[in-house]
Amino acid sequence: MKGLLDVVVSDTQIAFILGRLISDNITVSFEVMHYLKRERRGREGSMALKLDMSKAYNMVEWGHLHAILLQMGFTERWVDLILTCVTSVSYTIVHGGREMGPIFPTHGIRERDPFSLYLFIICVEDLFSFIRVYESWKWIIGIKVCSYIFCKAFPEDAIRVLELLHKFEEASSQQVNLEKSNVFFSANVAGPTQLDLCNILQMAEAFEHITYLGLPNTLGRSKSVSLGFLKDIIRKKVQD
């Protein structure tokens, strides 16, 4: 499975895939966010949506996982082996000295199981498929980088993005947590327009303190201020 992921999933999926570096997406994201910050001319503004998945591992539907594995070309025997590993789990709860269970779940994958990383990457491939379709139809125009969606800052684009996300949710049973998702705007998007787009998307506008993969989304003039927390983290690890 680990050796095949780079063949069956999109190039934009970087994390935990052999031969790819998650730092590549961080670099590309910095470049694009820097562009948004400096784009001050022209009537067509741009925006970036930073998405947060709600209880991502718990929401995985076994039927959807089965279907997408078959669609990717894995054999029925291989898919059955994978689903056996996923569906054979049971839980026992201990409370007040008494055991309750076993409890048999009907969906979800185990969050701390290393194998679940690869299964989740496969499940969210649906999102990238929807983005490619909407992009080919010119319904959204922009760049996609991991959990970011970049597009024009127009109401019709915002509506299309919401439609895309809803279709992904219906297909995969995943759910985008809009309350924890954010919207970044290029500098040439007027304040009233930003407010209207935030209302359409049901997301809050992002500010410079928002992070992506543990690092600031944008860097100010003082790099030491923006990245100073890294020194504190390293010092704490050394001391521990």
Side-chain angles (χ1 to χ4, degrees), residues 30-42 185-188 218-219 221:
F30 271 150
E31 291 297 324
V32 178
M33 297 302 291
H34 181 67
Y35 165 78
L36 290 182
K37 193 174 181 180
R38 294 176 61 88
E39 186 184 18
R40 300 179 181 276
R41 298 180 179 179
F185 295 102
S186 58
N188 63 338
T218 58
L219 295 178
R221 294 183 177 181

Side-chain angles (χ1 to χ4, degrees), residues 53-65 106-109 120 123 168-169 171-176:
M53 304 304 294
S54 177
K55 299 180 180 179
Y57 280 35
N58 294 337
M59 300 291 286
V60 171
E61 289 288 344
W62 294 343
H64 175 254
L65 178 60
T106 58
H107 60 273
I109 53 180
F120 183 71
C123 286
F168 166 67
E169 291 174 343
S172 66
S173 295
Q174 293 289 312
Q175 185 176 0
V176 177

Side-chain angles (χ1 to χ4, degrees), residues 6 21-22 27 30-31 34 43 63 78 91 103 146 152 159 164 166 169 173 180 190 202 206 221 223 229 231 234:
D6 65 320
L21 295 174
I22 195 170
T27 303
F30 271 150
E31 291 297 324
H34 181 67
R43 299 180 61 183
W78 174 251
Y91 302 98
I103 299 171
C146 198
K152 295 296 183 182
I159 293 170
L164 180 157
H166 289 326
E169 291 174 343
S173 295
K180 293 185 178 180
Q202 303 170 53
R221 294 183 177 181
K223 304 300 186 294
F229 72 97
K231 185 188 297 184
I234 294 173

Side-chain angles (χ1 to χ4, degrees), residues 61-111:
E61 289 288 344
W62 294 343
H64 175 254
L65 178 60
H66 182 273
I68 197 169
L69 284 169
L70 290 177
Q71 188 177 6
M72 285 182 169
F74 292 99
T75 64
E76 186 79 43
R77 172 61 177 161
W78 174 251
V79 174
D80 288 343
L81 286 173
I82 292 176
L83 267 294
T84 298
C85 294
V86 172
T87 61
S88 60
V89 64
S90 63
Y91 302 98
T92 300
I93 299 174
V94 179
H95 178 70
R98 298 179 57 187
E99 287 191 359
M100 294 180 287
I103 299 171
F104 299 97
T106 58
H107 60 273
I109 53 180
R110 285 166 280 193
E111 188 166 348

